[in-house]
Amino acid sequence: MTSSVGRRILIKLCRSSLSPRIIATRFSSIAVEEDAKNVIPASQPGKIQAALLKDFSSSLVIENLEPPKNVQANEVLIDVHYCALNTSDALLSKNLYTFEPKLPTILGYEVVGKLVEIGTEAEKNGYKIGDQVVALNKEKYGGLAEKCLAEIGDIWKVPSVIDSIDAVSILDNYITALIALERKVSIDENDMILINVGISGISLAAIDLATNVYRAKVIGVCATEDGADLARKKGAFASLKYKDKKLLKQIKEIAAERDIQVIFDDVDGEYFKKVLDCFTDVYKDATLKDLLRDDNFAVVVHHLSREGRVIIAGTATTMTNAHSEVQQGSFSVTGFNLTEYRKKKPDEYRQAGDEVLQFLEEGLITPSCLLIVGLHKVNDALRFVYESKSPGKVVIDIRNKEADAVKVTK
């Protein structure tokens, strides 16, 4: 395990304004101790390299494995180029997620690569060997390997104009944000949306969609100054690091600039404060596990008496399950779980993926990728996901296995 001093240095470097070259060099030096303890075998012909989780809270182990075989009719085999690390990967590695995986297992469910084998149903659906695809493999995982299986319902062709790094960084967060926003509200340019980012990539995606697709006015509330900077880059007209004693005053001042005077007045205003607490309590009482969960994105609609409405979205602490709902007056609070939604409404799930890729192709949205690092340094990357408290993506380069960390500037 990397020393606590090394971990602090790593996090400080990735938050700094140092050049990508300097960060990559120092990231590599921090990984020396880890690499010394986990001897990485040389590649073997006919086998694939993968990062295995063998014991919870222990480092992933690089091993040579037999490639997946017996591709089913509704499956494809992907030659993986990149795999995004998500917060669920970090939680699963410590057995802190919503289910316990059977060990050993290969983490990683957001991948991009080329098809090397296709089932009969995949062929009927127009897929062919050599197609560049992105997969949202939330059922099978397996992305931290040179090859992985995916079902055709979970893959999308990647338009040639889309960069692979953007493709692998976008689907999970943006599909979740898009469906959650669309199923609860019809956003227009007159709406003010307060999005509690915390350290959630989903909430950052919601800012991107609300600002650049729906053209609404967004206030971002973030756990760190780095998160607030990312929110501003997405187009939020105001972005705040959470401060308990100042937040209500700051929101009221921003609302007043848009001629909204009654945001916290009367009974509805008092209830609005309570609902806001459902989101901002994550900064007071929630554990890091709560902050990293990907099934606690929620949407609140508050109708002001005379001057329009305010929408609140983002990470919330009150969601006990995907369909819990509390209503009072003009409010509704609903949690959202993409895995459950996929099972119940697969067509809408796929349509949302198509729309997200179209928005990306048209240049309307831009996913936030922080770091790209080779497969053999996956343990340092995984630790960064768990400890950095940043909503940006970390991507593993499966082909360039020895690659040092490169800080992405966009």
Side-chain angles (χ1 to χ4, degrees):
M1 300 291 287
T2 302
S3 69
S4 59
V5 173
R7 291 197 295 270
R8 289 197 296 272
I9 294 173
L10 172 60
I11 294 169
K12 183 176 180 181
L13 285 173
C14 292
R15 290 178 177 175
S16 74
S17 58
L18 295 175
S19 71
R21 181 182 62 81
I22 293 174
I23 288 180
T25 301
R26 297 190 186 180
F27 186 103
S28 180
S29 67
I30 292 168
V32 169
E33 181 182 340
E34 186 80 45
D35 292 342
K37 290 185 178 181
N38 296 294
V39 178
I40 297 173
S43 298
Q44 295 179 9
K47 293 191 175 183
I48 63 170
Q49 284 203 333
L52 269 70
L53 174 64
K54 291 187 167 184
D55 298 292
F56 295 120
S57 298
S58 295
S59 299
L60 304 188
V61 179
I62 304 296
E63 289 191 1
N64 293 311
L65 305 174
E66 294 294 331
K69 297 179 180 179
N70 302 319
V71 176
Q72 301 300 307
N74 68 333
E75 292 180 331
V76 296
L77 183 62
I78 302 172
D79 181 12
V80 181
H81 190 174
Y82 294 110
C83 177
L85 281 180
N86 288 284
T87 53
S88 62
D89 295 307
L91 294 175
L92 281 167
S93 71
K94 297 177 179 294
N95 198 20
L96 295 174
Y97 197 50
T98 54
F99 66 89
E100 180 177 334
K102 294 181 179 179
L103 301 183
T105 190
I106 301 172
L107 302 176
Y109 62 82
E110 205 167 6
V111 304
V112 67
K114 289 188 176 181
L115 299 183
V116 292
E117 193 172 343
I118 59 175
T120 55
E121 290 299 320
E123 187 174 8
K124 290 178 182 178
N125 278 271
Y127 294 102
K128 60 183 184 299
I129 292 175
D131 282 345
Q132 183 91 345
V133 299
V134 58
L136 193 52
N137 223 13
K138 292 178 80 78
E139 292 288 326
K140 294 180 178 292
Y141 283 77
L144 290 176
E146 291 182 290
K147 290 183 173 62
C148 78
L149 290 170
E151 294 183 7
I152 58 174
D154 295 318
I155 64 172
W156 288 260
K157 290 183 181 180
V158 179
S160 58
V161 297
I162 294 179
D163 184 88
S164 294
I165 294 296
D166 287 338
V168 79
S169 303
I170 199 166
L171 280 186
D172 188 34
N173 290 338
Y174 279 78
I175 290 178
T176 301
L178 181 65
I179 294 175
L181 290 174
E182 284 192 342
R183 70 197 284 253
K184 289 302 299 179
V185 294
S186 178
I187 303 173
D188 60 43
E189 294 184 16
N190 295 319
D191 286 327
M192 186 174 77
I193 306 180
L194 192 152
I195 296 180
N196 185 45
V197 177
I199 56 176
S200 167
I202 299 171
S203 299
L204 197 64
I207 289 179
D208 201 1
L209 289 167
T211 301
N212 298 306
V213 175
Y214 297 107
R215 305 296 179 183
K217 299 294 184 182
V218 175
I219 303 171
V221 180
C222 306
T224 65
E225 289 292 353
D226 291 335
D229 287 341
L230 286 173
R232 292 185 197 101
K233 288 179 180 178
K234 295 299 181 191
F237 80 96
S239 186
L240 314 168
K241 179 183 176 182
Y242 175 74
K243 296 177 182 178
D244 185 24
K245 296 181 179 180
K246 293 184 178 181
L247 183 61
L248 294 181
K249 181 180 178 182
Q250 289 173 318
I251 293 173
K252 192 170 184 177
E253 289 173 350
I254 293 169
E257 292 175 2
R258 303 195 69 238
D259 295 324
I260 299 175
Q261 305 297 328
V262 295
I263 191 167
F264 293 127
D265 293 348
D266 63 39
V267 175
D268 267 356
E270 287 302 312
Y271 189 65
F272 184 34
K273 293 178 185 177
K274 293 180 181 179
V275 176
L276 186 59
D277 285 342
C278 294
F279 293 80
T280 57
D281 276 353
V282 299
Y283 302 105
K284 304 172 187 176
D285 304 320
T287 65
L288 186 59
K289 172 186 173 182
D290 296 320
L291 285 169
L292 290 174
R293 279 175 48 201
D294 60 2
D295 61 343
N296 58 350
F297 185 89
V299 178
V300 174
V301 181
H302 174 39
H303 295 276
L304 299 171
S305 57
R306 297 183 300 276
E307 298 161 276
R309 64 182 185 169
V310 176
I311 298 164
I312 308 178
T315 302
T317 60
T318 59
M319 302 302 101
T320 56
N321 59 68
H323 308 289
S324 62
E325 187 165 294
V326 179
Q327 291 186 332
Q328 177 174 333
S330 58
F331 291 97
S332 63
V333 182
T334 305
F336 183 80
N337 184 306
L338 185 59
T339 302
E340 293 300 319
Y341 192 86
R342 168 192 176 274
K343 295 176 182 177
K344 294 187 175 182
K345 298 186 177 181
D347 292 339
E348 293 182 20
Y349 164 80
R350 288 207 53 78
Q351 181 182 349
D354 291 336
E355 290 178 9
V356 166
L357 289 172
Q358 182 179 345
F359 294 152
L360 180 59
E361 186 176 9
E362 293 174 355
L364 295 176
I365 56 176
T366 306
S368 295
C369 176
L370 292 181
L371 290 172
I372 305 171
V373 63
L375 176 64
H376 290 174
K377 297 180 175 60
V378 65
N379 286 303
D380 292 281
L382 191 62
R383 189 173 298 109
F384 174 75
V385 172
Y386 193 81
E387 297 180 351
S388 70
K389 299 183 180 179
S390 175
K393 288 277 188 177
V394 174
V395 173
I396 303 301
D397 190 332
I398 303 298
R399 293 180 179 176
N400 191 7
K401 301 182 189 65
E402 297 293 337
D404 292 325
V406 175
K407 186 177 180 182
V408 182
T409 56
K410 65 180 178 180

